[in-house]
């Protein structure tokens, strides 16, 4: 019984962390640009997307807001 009292809260914390990481990971990259060799490259902010796109010789098009 004592093992169950330790095991159950531990599993609950691990599961809650996994769900939070999945949600935050899927919404962090909002601004993307198309790339010649890849579908698109995404960044968290529009300004970082624009800087990286300007420095990328294989970039195609402008930065756009990704639809999630």
């Amino acid at each position: 019984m004592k093992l169950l009292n330790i095991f159950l809260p531990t599993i609950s914390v691990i599961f809650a962390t996994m769900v939070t990481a999945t949600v935050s990971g899927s919404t962090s990259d909002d601004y993307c640009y198309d790339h010649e060799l890849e579908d698109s490259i995404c960044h968290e902010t529009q300004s970082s997307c624009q800087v990286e796109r300007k420095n990328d010789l294989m970039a195609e098009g402008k930065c756009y807001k990704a639809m999630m």
Side-chain angles (χ1 to χ4, degrees):
M1 188 69 172
K2 191 171 191 172
L3 182 64
L4 185 60
N5 288 339
I6 295 171
F7 184 71
L8 190 58
T10 304
I11 294 298
S12 298
V13 169
I14 291 171
F15 180 72
T17 304
M18 288 172 47
V19 170
T20 302
T22 302
V23 170
S24 65
S26 65
T27 59
S28 64
D29 294 333
D30 292 335
Y31 297 93
C32 304
Y33 65 88
D34 294 330
H35 191 267
E36 189 173 308
L37 299 177
E38 299 178 33
D39 286 341
S40 60
I41 298 177
C42 299
H43 299 275
E44 290 182 17
T45 64
Q46 186 173 13
S47 60
S48 66
C49 178
Q50 290 172 345
V51 168
E52 290 297 321
R53 185 189 61 79
K54 286 179 185 176
N55 294 329
D56 190 344
L57 299 176
M58 300 178 97
E60 298 177 341
K62 296 183 177 185
C63 292
Y64 56 88
K65 180 88 169 157
M67 300 301 231
M68 300 277 170

